[in-house]
Amino acid sequence: MMNSQDNILQEDRTEEKVVAAQGADTVENQMEATNAPQVESTSEQTETPDAATAAQTDAKPVIKVYATKEEVLERVKQLNHSEEVPTREEAEQLKMVFYKLLASEREAQQKAYLEAGGDPETYVVLPDETEEQFKAEWTVVKERRMQAFMKQEEEKQENLKRKLAIIERIKTMTTSPEEANKSFNEFKALQQEWKDIKTVPAEKANELWRNYQLYVEQYYDQLNLNREAREYDFKKNLELKTRLCEAAEKLADETDVISAFHQLQELHQQYREIGPVAKELREQTWARFKAASTVINKKHQQHFEQLRAKEEENLQRKTELCERVEALAKEENKGAGDWERRTKQIIEIQNEWKTIGFAPQKMNVKIFERFRATCDDFFARKAEFFKELKERLAENTKRKRQLVEKAKALQDSTEWRSTSDKLINLQKEWRTIGIVPKKVGDQLWMEFIAACNHFFDARSAANAGGRSEEHRNLDKKRDIIAQLKELIGATADNMQETVQQLVAAYNEIGHVPYKEKDKLYKEFHEVVDVLYKQLNISASKQRLDNFKHSLKNMAKQGENSLDNERGRLLRRYEALKSEITTYENNLGFLNASSKKGNSLIDEMRKKVEKLKDEYELVRQKIKAIDAENKA
């Protein structure tokens, strides 16, 4: 059946897309906010951290390689028993790697089971103790990440309150130049405190920054510092912003688009924290930083556009696979061969499905459920079919085993006539029973025929004393066979008449010893087949001619002989008709694709052809008797 890894990883993948999309909006808003006009500074500012160094704080995490499920489980346990809260990237990696290793392990188990001759319909996925432990530990991971998230949200709200208080305090310092000069040291401390405070709620960030920037600029407008301090402040700010520009430009070489985007966010945050530069350099500096940001933003946007395009392509491919599976599931399966052939086709489609990536988020689960529902329905109906087939085979086996027991119960009987009729009836009933598993069927047949042969051999031995006439008949028939052999290759004009006279004479001779019957029959018909082929007479015609010649001899035996023979032929006619129907029905239950099935089905087809030939011959014999009665 289908692997459910699509659903397992869906949750983490969705989180990644949402965070990335929110990040894109944040950067665009930051760029607009950062482009706000700045006022020349007239104060000396404290040093800020190196921007290029700070830009590396969101570097791409090192991805550890795990070889076994146990290693992944051990890492999750280590995280849960330490103060460290796993990052989203590591959590995603741990979950994805664990279930990939588990899926590979289960596929290997199933492959080994099938190669060992196991039945794919009875294969059951064994529970995995490591998976249960991982699920338990993973629940703790999610809870800890949720707690960390809630804590971060609380900190953001607290940071918002603190920054609003800083804005209010700076606002009071902008009332007059005297107030600004007097509060300079406090102002610098407030700036540092602002920088030390981390993130705030995203929806408040831009408005908060605009208000802060507004009152900082108003403060600088009021500040009456000496020119030298102001120029120093401008120069220091320019150095810091130049480093940030260089760091932003360097991100263009980053191969990981997502990592570059997150690093750019950090650079924008740092850019905001730095005060103004000289008025004549403000537009130039901002234009450089914005240009570098635009490059990263375009790459980020293109990345998600390509991702969405690929997901749409994946959706189209998966839709086509759904349609193919649905078409296969609708087709009628007349026998085991059809079920196995379509099972192979559906498994090939399932394997192709596994090679296709995610569809768009809103359709990914729906398309998978559509695909899985069709597959599940097909395999459920297949299981029901084979269940019924096995029940039918079991019933046929039971019936044949009962016939074996009956034959064995009769094999030592000395009531030769009545027991012969009973065994013959058992043999007829045997032929009406459908197929059974080959291995069991061969064993039952050997037991059945052995019991029958045991009786008939005993009957022949008991009647051996009264067979002198049969031995004389044997000599007569051998003499006719010798005469027929002398005719092979002869070209006399009355060749056909001579052959038919000898055949008629052969048929008028009575019974021969039972043990010689089959051998003599084979020898006679081999030479007659050669002569008839030489004379262009078919084997069926030969047998029919022989029968017609024997009718007069049969009529001499009594007035009811022909009627009795006709009744026997009619019973044989109906039995052959039923047997042909049974064999043709049984052909539909065989698996034509298996090696065993091929040999068995060929044998059964040959059997059907022979039965049809005999069926037609019996019909012609009945017509011959009717013609003889009219005469």
Side-chain angles (χ1 to χ4, degrees):
M1 293 302 293
M2 279 293 292
N3 191 320
S4 60
Q5 191 172 355
D6 283 356
N7 289 339
I8 294 172
L9 300 179
Q10 182 68 30
E11 176 186 344
D12 294 334
R13 178 177 172 276
T14 302
E15 178 185 354
E16 176 185 353
K17 292 181 66 176
V18 171
V19 171
Q22 290 176 345
D25 181 63
T26 302
V27 171
E28 293 300 329
N29 292 336
Q30 287 177 343
M31 290 178 62
E32 294 302 320
T34 310
N35 198 23
Q38 298 177 344
V39 181
E40 291 187 358
S41 173
T42 58
S43 65
E44 181 177 356
Q45 297 188 23
T46 57
E47 297 246 348
T48 59
D50 183 272
T53 302
Q56 303 302 321
T57 59
D58 195 24
K60 184 178 180 180
V62 177
I63 302 299
K64 182 179 178 180
V65 177
Y66 296 94
T68 65
K69 306 192 306 294
E70 287 71 20
E71 290 183 11
V72 180
L73 178 59
E74 185 60 32
R75 175 54 181 164
V76 175
K77 289 181 177 179
Q78 180 184 352
L79 290 171
N80 286 341
H81 292 82
S82 67
E83 296 182 357
E84 178 183 5
V85 178
T87 63
R88 176 170 54 83
E89 290 80 3
E90 182 175 10
E92 290 171 356
Q93 183 210 7
L94 289 171
K95 188 171 185 179
M96 178 178 67
V97 171
F98 180 86
Y99 279 102
K100 280 187 177 180
L101 291 171
L102 178 61
S104 298
E105 188 176 285
R106 284 178 172 167
E107 287 179 3
Q109 291 173 354
Q110 183 177 13
K111 182 178 180 183
Y113 172 81
L114 296 177
E115 290 177 349
D119 185 356
E121 293 303 318
T122 61
Y123 177 74
V124 178
V125 178
L126 299 177
D128 188 279
E129 182 179 353
T130 308
E131 182 183 14
E132 296 304 318
Q133 296 178 17
F134 180 82
K135 287 181 178 178
E137 295 292 338
W138 186 253
T139 301
V140 177
V141 170
K142 291 198 294 185
E143 290 177 354
R144 294 188 64 206
R145 282 182 52 77
M146 179 56 69
Q147 291 173 359
F149 174 77
M150 297 303 296
K151 183 178 180 182
Q152 289 176 357
E153 291 301 309
E154 291 175 0
E155 291 177 353
K156 288 180 182 180
Q157 293 294 335
E158 183 61 29
N159 292 341
L160 175 62
K161 294 178 182 179
R162 292 176 61 190
K163 287 198 171 186
L164 287 173
I166 291 174
I167 292 174
E168 288 299 320
R169 181 57 191 142
I170 295 176
K171 181 178 179 181
T172 62
M173 298 178 182
T174 62
T175 55
S176 66
E178 293 77 12
E179 183 66 27
N181 284 324
K182 182 173 61 175
S183 310
F184 179 72
N185 290 334
E186 183 183 357
F187 172 77
K188 299 301 290 182
L190 291 173
Q191 278 191 313
Q192 185 60 46
E193 183 180 354
W194 178 279
K195 293 179 182 179
D196 292 339
I197 299 173
K198 302 303 180 184
T199 56
V200 297
E203 66 275 11
K204 299 291 185 179
N206 288 328
E207 180 183 0
L208 190 69
W209 171 252
R210 283 194 293 267
N211 291 334
Y212 173 76
Q213 186 73 3
L214 172 65
Y215 290 112
V216 167
E217 290 174 351
Q218 289 181 5
Y219 176 84
Y220 276 115
D221 290 339
Q222 296 291 338
L223 195 60
N224 185 20
L225 297 176
N226 60 66
R227 182 176 182 81
E228 181 179 350
R230 185 186 64 180
E231 292 298 328
Y232 175 79
D233 215 18
F234 284 170
K235 180 180 179 182
K236 193 64 179 177
N237 293 340
L238 179 61
E239 291 176 358
L240 293 174
K241 288 191 174 182
T242 300
R243 291 175 188 173
L244 292 183
C245 289
E246 293 170 351
E249 291 165 348
K250 188 177 180 180
L251 288 178
D253 299 326
E254 173 65 58
T255 56
D256 189 331
V257 177
I258 302 300
S259 175
F261 178 79
H262 290 317
Q263 293 181 55
L264 180 63
Q265 285 184 290
E266 178 63 23
L267 295 182
H268 270 264
Q269 184 62 29
Q270 294 179 36
Y271 196 96
R272 290 181 172 187
E273 304 296 338
I274 301 172
V277 300
K279 187 174 183 179
E280 65 274 10
L281 297 174
R282 290 176 188 174
E283 290 298 328
Q284 175 184 340
T285 304
W286 164 246
R288 179 181 179 183
F289 187 69
K290 183 178 180 180
S293 300
T294 301
V295 173
I296 305 305
N297 282 321
K298 285 184 178 180
K299 285 187 175 182
H300 186 259
Q301 182 180 2
Q302 290 172 356
H303 169 76
F304 280 97
E305 288 175 352
Q306 292 171 357
L307 180 62
R308 284 189 288 270
K310 182 62 177 176
E311 289 176 344
E312 289 294 337
E313 179 185 342
N314 292 341
L315 176 60
Q316 182 178 353
R317 291 178 61 190
K318 288 188 173 183
T319 301
E320 292 173 356
L321 294 186
C322 286
E323 293 171 352
R324 286 170 56 190
V325 167
E326 289 164 355
L328 285 172
K330 289 179 181 178
E331 293 184 10
E332 181 182 2
N333 298 293
K334 296 182 179 180
D338 289 343
W339 282 107
E340 293 299 339
R341 182 172 62 258
R342 293 193 175 97
T343 294
K344 182 178 179 181
Q345 293 172 329
I346 288 178
I347 290 176
E348 289 175 353
I349 294 174
Q350 287 179 334
N351 291 334
E352 184 179 350
W353 179 284
K354 294 176 184 179
T355 65
I356 303 174
F358 291 106
Q361 180 183 345
K362 63 180 181 180
M363 291 298 298
N364 195 61
V365 174
K366 291 182 180 179
I367 194 69
F368 177 72
E369 289 177 347
R370 173 184 174 183
F371 183 73
R372 184 176 61 185
T374 304
C375 293
D376 288 350
D377 176 69
F378 173 84
F379 285 110
R381 290 187 291 110
K382 177 187 175 184
E384 183 63 25
F385 169 82
F386 278 98
K387 178 182 177 182
E388 294 177 357
L389 177 61
K390 289 178 181 178
E391 292 174 352
R392 193 157 54 248
L393 293 176
E395 178 62 23
N396 292 342
T397 301
K398 178 181 177 181
R399 292 178 61 190
K400 287 194 173 183
R401 186 169 280 114
Q402 291 172 347
L403 293 184
V404 170
E405 296 302 323
K406 291 179 181 179
K408 287 182 177 180
L410 295 170
Q411 66 180 1
D412 294 323
S413 173
T414 57
E415 297 178 0
W416 307 120
R417 186 172 186 82
S418 61
T419 304
S420 295
D421 293 339
K422 291 177 181 179
L423 287 175
I424 290 173
N425 289 332
L426 290 180
Q427 291 175 345
K428 291 179 179 179
E429 184 179 353
W430 181 283
R431 289 192 290 269
T432 64
I433 301 174
I435 62 170
V436 298
K438 179 173 175 57
K439 185 176 180 181
V440 177
D442 291 345
Q443 179 184 353
L444 291 175
W445 169 249
M446 294 301 295
E447 294 179 21
F448 180 73
I449 199 63
C452 293
N453 289 341
H454 179 83
F455 169 80
F456 288 114
D457 288 344
R459 187 190 66 175
S460 297
N463 296 328
R467 296 302 177 92
S468 58
E469 179 67 23
E470 293 179 353
H471 284 284
R472 286 193 294 273
N473 292 339
L474 176 63
D475 293 337
K476 291 178 182 179
K477 287 193 174 186
R478 283 177 173 170
D479 181 62
I480 291 177
I481 291 173
Q483 294 181 55
L484 289 170
K485 287 183 178 179
E486 291 178 0
L487 293 176
I488 295 176
T491 59
D493 293 337
N494 61 343
M495 180 74 170
Q496 181 171 340
E497 181 180 354
T498 302
V499 170
Q500 290 179 343
Q501 289 175 352
L502 289 173
V503 169
Y506 183 94
N507 290 328
E508 290 176 356
I509 299 173
H511 295 292
V512 299
Y514 180 79
K515 291 184 178 179
E516 299 291 338
K517 182 181 67 173
D518 291 340
K519 179 180 178 181
L520 191 69
Y521 178 87
K522 180 180 179 182
E523 185 178 0
F524 173 72
H525 281 283
E526 283 180 351
V527 66
V528 171
D529 286 345
V530 172
L531 289 171
Y532 274 29
K533 185 176 182 181
Q534 181 179 324
L535 296 171
N536 294 322
I537 301 174
S538 68
S540 296
K541 187 176 184 304
Q542 171 194 347
R543 295 174 65 186
L544 184 59
D545 288 345
N546 291 342
F547 179 77
K548 288 179 179 179
H549 283 296
S550 68
L551 287 179
K552 292 182 179 180
N553 185 46
M554 189 182 302
K556 294 177 183 179
Q557 298 176 5
E559 58 183 9
N560 293 328
S561 297
L562 290 178
D563 291 339
N564 292 338
E565 179 64 15
R566 189 179 190 280
R568 185 188 70 80
L569 289 173
L570 279 174
R571 289 192 297 272
R572 181 59 180 162
Y573 180 84
E574 293 300 325
L576 287 169
K577 183 177 180 181
S578 175
E579 191 172 359
I580 290 170
T581 302
T582 299
Y583 271 102
E584 288 179 340
N585 288 338
N586 290 342
L587 283 172
F589 297 121
L590 294 178
N591 183 357
S593 63
S594 67
K595 294 182 179 179
K596 292 183 180 179
N598 282 334
S599 61
L600 182 57
I601 201 170
D602 290 341
E603 181 181 343
M604 290 182 67
R605 284 174 176 165
K606 292 178 182 177
K607 179 68 175 178
V608 170
E609 292 301 321
K610 290 182 179 179
L611 290 173
K612 287 182 176 179
D613 290 341
E614 185 178 356
Y615 176 81
E616 178 61 23
L617 179 60
V618 170
R619 191 177 71 85
Q620 292 296 331
K621 286 182 177 181
I622 293 172
K623 290 178 63 177
I625 291 176
D626 292 342
E628 183 67 22
N629 285 331
K630 290 179 180 180

